[in-house]
Amino acid sequence: MMEHLAQILMLLGVAVAVVLAFQRLRIPTSLGYLLVGVILGPYTVGPTINVPEFKVLAEFGVVFLLFTIGLNYSLPQLHALRHQVLGLGTAQVAFTTAAVALLLWLAGVPATAAFVIGAVFAQSSSTMIGSQLAEQGEESSPHGRLGLAMSVFQDVTAVPFLVVIPVLGMSDGADLLVSSLGWAAAKAALAFALVFFAGRWLLRPLFRLVTKRRSAELFTLAVLLVALLAAWTTNNLGLSLAFGAFLAGMMLGETEFRHQIESTVRPFRDVLLGLFFVGIGMLIDPASIPR
């Protein structure tokens, strides 16, 4: 226990120093957290953080980020943006995948590998985009909302890509691909239905009951319960934790408690998201960059 406490104190000390310096230099703090991970990672000289529960805890930063993003994208708002999000989002993913894959194929890369790399280039990180827009206070601006909506659309398209890629090299890939995609779509629809009906019938009455108690502690517990229960549901369906949290945020975004929920979950999101970036930084080997 004392060994872990010493490592946590070291992590907090380095994080405070680096993030303070980055903020004074007006550099995005997400890059600061990445640097903290590099400094405390196994590939650099000096102390290394080795807390077994660290990676699991850090994953919840992404869960709460997608939860707060979902709060700003209720169903009526997504319906109003449907042409921009679906039209621009589909065009961006398809065009980027095709353009990069074609260039690589012409350069001699095998078609399957070219497609995979093109699909990777078509994706962007909602975590990075949401963190940066929030830091700049632009998450509610027109360009911020559209950019986040498109990045969330990319997160959804990542699901079929993850299904397609493992079966590309199989001899019976076509049949397996169709069945796998159909099964993934069915699970996503089931997850949406579960969260949608729970949101319509249970969440609003639940939070009305909680707010009557006028207890900030009880309200915080209720928010954490809803976000993590939705994440657990989609994870058990074979989808990502963050997808369920996003759906729960969408449902709660239609209620009168949206702003209170967002202010409640923000401290958890910011701290855990910082840990997530630190964890990513710990995977970076600076010596491999020149190669």
Side-chain angles (χ1 to χ4, degrees):
M1 179 63 183
M2 288 301 101
E3 179 185 354
H4 290 340
L5 179 58
Q7 293 188 43
I8 292 171
L9 290 174
M10 180 170 56
L11 169 62
L12 293 174
V14 175
V16 168
V18 171
V19 171
L20 179 62
F22 272 53
Q23 288 186 347
R24 288 178 64 89
L25 295 172
R26 299 187 181 278
I27 301 175
T29 54
S30 55
L31 297 179
Y33 285 119
L34 288 173
L35 178 59
V36 172
V38 173
I39 294 172
L40 298 177
Y43 302 107
T44 54
V45 177
T48 300
I49 296 295
N50 185 24
V51 180
E53 298 82 6
F54 179 83
K55 291 182 179 179
V56 176
L57 187 63
E59 286 291 334
F60 287 105
V62 180
V63 170
F64 287 118
L65 175 68
L66 267 294
F67 178 71
T68 55
I69 289 175
L71 289 172
N72 294 308
Y73 290 95
S74 62
L75 286 178
Q77 291 169 325
L78 280 182
H79 185 263
L81 289 171
R82 65 189 184 281
H83 297 301
Q84 293 171 301
V85 173
L86 293 178
L88 291 176
T90 303
Q92 182 270 318
V93 172
F95 176 77
T96 305
T97 302
V100 174
L102 179 61
L103 289 174
L104 292 172
W105 180 69
L106 293 174
V109 177
T112 301
F115 169 78
V116 172
I117 298 172
V120 171
F121 267 86
Q123 304 298 311
S124 58
S125 170
S126 296
T127 307
M128 295 290 290
I129 293 173
S131 176
Q132 184 61 29
L133 286 172
E135 189 174 321
Q136 295 172 188
E138 298 177 4
E139 68 267 36
S140 298
S141 64
H143 66 272
R145 296 175 65 83
L146 182 58
L148 277 174
M150 288 183 64
S151 69
V152 171
F153 177 83
Q154 292 170 0
D155 290 341
V156 175
T157 63
V159 175
F161 277 137
L162 291 175
V163 174
V164 169
I165 291 171
V167 300
L168 283 177
M170 299 181 181
S171 57
D172 56 345
D175 295 337
L176 183 60
L177 179 60
V178 172
S179 62
S180 298
L181 279 175
W183 181 233
K187 291 191 290 185
L190 176 61
F192 180 83
L194 288 173
V195 176
F196 176 80
F197 288 112
R200 288 300 174 97
W201 295 340
L202 299 177
L203 294 185
R204 194 186 297 268
L206 170 65
F207 278 93
R208 282 177 178 167
L209 180 64
V210 168
T211 51
K212 286 181 181 179
R213 306 306 304 169
R214 299 184 182 277
S215 170
E217 178 183 359
L218 181 60
F219 190 87
T220 301
L221 288 173
V223 171
L224 295 177
L225 172 64
V226 169
L228 296 179
L229 181 59
W232 176 81
T233 300
T234 54
N235 184 66
N236 281 347
L237 290 173
L239 304 170
S240 69
L241 291 166
F243 182 60
F246 175 74
L247 292 178
M250 282 179 57
M251 297 301 107
L252 289 171
E254 298 184 36
T255 70
E256 62 271 29
F257 311 108
R258 178 170 70 87
H259 297 293
Q260 187 178 356
I261 291 171
E262 188 171 8
S263 63
T264 298
V265 81
R266 186 181 297 272
F268 297 96
R269 181 199 71 183
D270 292 344
V271 172
L272 293 174
L273 195 57
L275 290 180
F276 172 79
F277 285 124
V278 171
I280 296 299
M282 293 176 70
L283 300 175
I284 298 174
D285 180 6
S288 68
I289 295 176
R291 297 198 301 270

